[in-house]
Amino acid sequence: MTFNKKGDDDYFIRLLSYFRSHFREDIIEMVPFRKSVIMLKTTKNSYMIKGYQTNNRLKLQEAFIRTLRKEGFSNTYQFVRLPVDEMLYFDGHYFGGIEYIHPNKMPFTFQTQKSRQEGIELLEQFHQVTRNFESRYRTLLPQSTIIKKWKERTNLFATNLPTLKYFMHEKYLTEMLDWANWSINKMEESRSFYMNEPFVVLHGDVAHHNFLRDKRWKLHLIDFDLISIGPEVLDYLQYANRILPFIDWSFERLKSHRKFDTLLKEKAFLYALVFPADIFREWNRLIREKSYTDHQKYNQVMELTIGQFLLRKNFIDDIKRTL
């Protein structure tokens, strides 16, 4: 068996034993990506196996993907019937089967303007399709509340200050909290911008690893765990936050991407770009999981926070001058 992920060996060994006892096909390889995302290769097929904390959550994902594909968005996976006789349930997770998309040797990244624009265009297609059926999911999915979420993220970051002061000088912490409070206050003044219809189904996690290029170079959008209902601008706001580190926090380079040339004329969009969403998210997670002892994770977050601090500060200054 192949285990690409270190740690949790006992869990994965038990899980492999469970799958072997339930599959009608012989399993010849198992590759865990995360604790609840596993690739299984059998003598007949390859499957992605994904776990959900409730059966209702699994059924919702299956229904959403069926609707998405039926309405015309084919650039994603589909759920498949597994060679098992009963529902797979192990250690608090209900497991469903997803088709395995063979990845390209050249993975998708935000490194080039061409790939960043390709991601924007795929996201646009996703929104165009989900706009047609989002009303059917309004009672099933939460409505996105970005201001409330970012207030909670800021409060948690402030609560973590005693720990954060061990890792960086207080002046950095003070300035980042100033950015956050300024951004939230301005967003409050433009609250309607973040709530205006028409609504779409928001993807909610437009990181590079949720864009998958297959062997034929077709780009797919995957992993819909954080879908919600809201205006499409919220996904583009997150996308901008994701690509800014790859363009040296350049206002002009962000503006050169189609879609953002229009959005960057909106004051409310600029207000939200000032919020250090990525820094607060990663530090809150690092402290919650006590993973600051993991040198790789720690170095990545420090690069995001301190290594890019001056570039980010200049970017925020550009926004304020523009406003």
Side-chain angles (χ1 to χ4, degrees):
M1 297 299 100
T2 302
F3 293 92
N4 284 353
K5 182 176 174 64
K6 301 294 184 184
D8 295 318
D9 288 348
D10 178 63
Y11 169 83
F12 288 125
I13 290 169
R14 289 188 295 112
L15 182 61
L16 174 58
S17 177
Y18 174 81
F19 286 150
R20 277 178 160 168
S21 66
H22 284 74
F23 268 63
R24 296 193 301 271
E25 299 172 5
D26 290 335
I27 296 171
I28 58 176
E29 187 175 16
M30 171 173 162
V31 182
F33 292 94
R34 297 196 301 273
K35 197 165 185 178
S36 59
V37 181
I38 298 104
M39 191 276 278
L40 282 184
K41 185 176 182 181
T42 72
T43 50
K44 295 184 178 180
N45 215 331
S46 294
Y47 307 95
M48 292 302 296
I49 311 295
K50 187 164 183 177
Y52 298 87
Q53 291 185 335
T54 68
N55 190 36
N56 284 342
R57 188 65 185 168
L58 169 58
K59 296 303 179 187
L60 175 61
Q61 287 286 311
E62 290 176 340
F64 174 74
I65 296 298
R66 277 198 303 271
T67 305
L68 187 62
R69 295 180 65 87
K70 184 178 178 181
E71 293 291 330
F73 188 82
S74 61
N75 293 61
T76 190
Y77 50 66
Q78 56 189 332
F79 279 84
V80 296
R81 185 182 295 276
L82 293 172
V84 296
D85 297 319
E86 59 186 45
M87 168 69 68
L88 294 175
Y89 178 78
F90 180 83
D91 200 24
H93 283 84
Y94 296 85
F95 287 91
I98 295 172
E99 80 170 299
Y100 179 70
I101 299 173
H102 291 273
N104 197 289
K105 291 180 180 179
M106 296 289 290
F108 179 86
T109 74
F110 289 143
Q111 295 282 358
T112 68
Q113 172 127 353
K114 182 180 178 182
S115 61
R116 292 189 295 266
Q117 189 61 46
E118 194 177 359
I120 292 170
E121 291 169 4
L122 184 58
L123 198 53
E124 284 183 296
Q125 293 174 35
F126 174 73
H127 291 152
Q128 287 167 5
V129 171
T130 63
R131 187 179 292 115
N132 297 329
F133 67 81
E134 59 81 20
S135 59
R136 289 180 246 165
Y137 282 83
R138 286 200 186 187
T139 59
L140 300 172
L141 298 176
Q143 184 167 338
S144 182
T145 53
I146 187 172
I147 297 176
K148 179 184 176 184
K149 181 174 77 173
W150 282 2
K151 281 182 176 179
E152 291 171 352
R153 192 175 290 184
T154 303
N155 290 336
L156 181 56
F157 187 81
T159 301
N160 287 329
L161 282 177
T163 304
L164 288 162
K165 288 176 183 177
Y166 284 104
F167 300 108
M168 69 191 90
H169 196 282
E170 192 169 348
K171 68 177 183 180
Y172 293 112
L173 298 169
T174 300
E175 183 140 20
M176 288 186 291
L177 283 168
D178 285 345
W179 295 340
N181 291 324
W182 182 90
S183 174
I184 288 174
N185 288 336
K186 290 294 186 180
M187 289 172 71
E188 287 277 22
E189 295 172 8
S190 305
R191 177 176 284 270
S192 62
F193 178 81
Y194 314 103
M195 302 168 63
N196 282 342
E197 298 195 38
F199 286 166
V200 299
V201 176
L202 296 165
H203 183 276
D205 189 11
V206 289
H208 70 91
H209 53 258
N210 287 330
F211 292 87
L212 175 63
R213 196 182 299 284
D214 67 19
K215 291 193 300 185
R216 298 177 180 175
W217 287 90
K218 182 178 179 180
L219 191 62
H220 301 263
L221 189 60
I222 63 173
D223 195 352
F224 302 92
D225 289 357
L226 298 181
I227 50 176
S228 62
I229 302 294
E232 64 178 25
V233 67
L234 299 184
D235 264 349
Y236 295 118
L237 177 60
Q238 189 185 80
Y239 195 90
N241 278 312
R242 294 288 188 174
I243 68 174
L244 276 164
F246 294 89
I247 56 175
D248 299 324
W249 291 89
S250 167
F251 188 85
E252 289 304 316
R253 289 179 68 186
L254 180 61
K255 193 176 180 179
S256 70
H257 291 82
R258 191 180 58 78
K259 194 72 179 181
F260 291 118
D261 57 349
T262 302
L263 288 172
L264 290 174
K265 296 173 185 175
E266 296 279 357
K267 286 185 176 182
F269 192 79
L270 297 178
Y271 296 151
L273 276 181
V274 172
F275 188 83
D278 50 350
I279 292 175
F280 285 11
R281 179 188 65 240
E282 295 305 322
W283 276 110
N284 288 342
R285 179 187 297 157
L286 211 65
I287 292 172
R288 181 181 68 249
E289 297 175 354
K290 294 183 171 59
S291 53
Y292 36 74
T293 55
D294 183 323
H295 294 300
Q296 183 178 2
K297 288 183 180 179
Y298 172 77
N299 289 335
Q300 288 172 346
V301 178
M302 284 299 288
E303 167 59 23
L304 185 71
T305 310
I306 304 302
Q308 299 178 22
F309 185 86
L310 186 58
L311 289 171
R312 190 189 297 251
K313 178 176 169 55
N314 291 337
F315 173 74
I316 290 171
D317 289 343
D318 283 345
I319 286 179
K320 290 184 175 181
R321 277 193 294 270
T322 301
L323 289 165

